[in-house]
Amino acid sequence: DAGVIQSPRHEVTEMGQEVTLRCKPISGHNSLFWYRQTMMRGLELLIYFNNNVPIDDSGMPEDRFSAKMPNASFSTLKIQPSEPRDSAVYFCASSNGTVNEKLFFGSGTQLSVL
Amino acid sequence: RKEVEQDPGPFNVPEGATVAFNCTYSNSASQSFFWYRQDCRKEPKLLMSVYSSGNEDGRFTAQLNRASQYISLLIRDSKLSDSATYLCVVRPGGSYIPTFGRGTSLIVHP
């Protein structure tokens, strides 16, 4: 099993540019989560998908952030336009959707917005 | 009050020591509890689930106190390789969405 795959591992961009983060969940998992981690705020849930449908996006900071899951094997998180305060590690995680099932995290994308 | 609170530490202990972390949660309807471990610059990984009666996995013991709304993690005979951040995770009843604490940093020194 390849695990949750995220790309890119690192992204450095300038303020105002569009950033797209990608995630491939574990095959057969029907729940997908995007988290953001910073020293100040820890791990924050951005959005949760179940069976490709966004269920809870209350953690998405503002309209500059959008997420899609066009099929069971792919999700994107887009920031447009990016700002320096978006600098963080963005994790994607998947699970099989039962309440006691563990989350499997990808290696994360380290985003730096200059 | 934050949903899940942890002492950030760091807890600095010698090899072989016993160390314990607590985590408090605010939602009394929470039903699932976990401890995750996160190494520096790595992703979080499940360490163990926490069951109502308490559970043990080798040197690690997890306990749940519903009345006081906290969970604990005890590590016996600490190893250098236990150095990491330990994240407390809580899921409200009926929800698939886990809430993570900010983590407790553990440093085990020779």
Side-chain angles (χ1 to χ4, degrees):
Chain A
D1 192 336
V4 177
I5 300 173
Q6 288 187 247
S7 65
R9 288 295 306 275
H10 304 275
E11 176 80 31
V12 180
T13 190
E14 292 187 346
M15 182 173 63
Q17 296 298 305
E18 177 180 297
V19 174
T20 299
L21 311 182
R22 297 173 176 81
C23 175
K24 177 178 169 53
I26 291 173
S27 177
H29 282 186
N30 63 356
S31 292
L32 185 139
F33 305 79
W34 282 100
Y35 284 91
R36 176 172 68 177
Q37 188 174 37
T38 61
M39 288 291 291
M40 290 295 294
R41 302 173 69 90
L43 261 174
E44 301 174 280
L45 177 69
L46 300 176
I47 188 168
Y48 158 59
F49 290 89
N50 184 255
N51 291 323
N52 313 337
V53 176
I55 303 299
D56 186 337
D57 65 354
S58 58
M60 295 286 265
E62 48 200 88
D63 291 345
R64 298 185 299 107
F65 284 67
S66 62
K68 294 181 180 180
M69 192 163 186
N71 57 61
S73 59
F74 185 63
S75 177
T76 59
L77 177 69
K78 187 175 292 187
I79 308 172
Q80 166 64 17
S82 58
E83 296 182 2
R85 60 190 168 124
D86 301 330
S87 298
V89 180
Y90 290 80
F91 287 106
C92 174
S94 72
S95 78
N96 74 3
T98 61
V99 293
N100 290 318
E101 185 57 35
K102 66 180 179 180
L103 267 60
F104 291 83
F105 283 80
S107 299
T109 295
Q110 173 74 60
L111 173 64
S112 298
V113 183
L114 307 178
Chain B
R1 182 183 174 186
K2 294 180 181 175
E3 288 187 59
V4 180
E5 292 201 63
Q6 297 182 250
D7 180 347
F11 285 66
N12 203 319
V13 303
E15 272 186 291
T18 295
V19 62
F21 313 132
N22 279 346
C23 162
T24 58
Y25 59 94
S26 60
N27 187 339
S28 59
S30 297
Q31 292 196 354
S32 300
F33 308 89
F34 311 86
W35 283 102
Y36 277 68
R37 169 189 169 133
Q38 185 173 24
D39 292 302
C40 188
R41 301 185 185 280
K42 298 286 190 180
E43 72 274 20
K45 294 183 179 179
L46 179 71
L47 177 66
M48 59 195 302
S49 301
V50 185
Y51 303 120
S52 296
S53 56
N55 48 296
E56 197 172 294
D57 183 1
R59 298 181 293 108
F60 299 83
T61 300
Q63 301 230 318
L64 167 64
N65 185 316
R66 286 191 183 274
S68 300
Q69 293 183 207
Y70 75 84
I71 66 173
S72 64
L73 177 67
L74 180 80
I75 305 175
R76 290 181 300 278
D77 189 23
S78 300
K79 311 292 185 190
L80 296 176
S81 57
D82 293 335
S83 298
T85 296
Y86 291 84
L87 303 166
C88 170
V89 183
V90 174
R91 257 188 175 131
S95 170
Y96 293 112
I97 301 175
T99 299
F100 283 75
R102 291 186 57 187
T104 296
S105 174
L106 172 66
I107 301 171
V108 182
H109 59 81

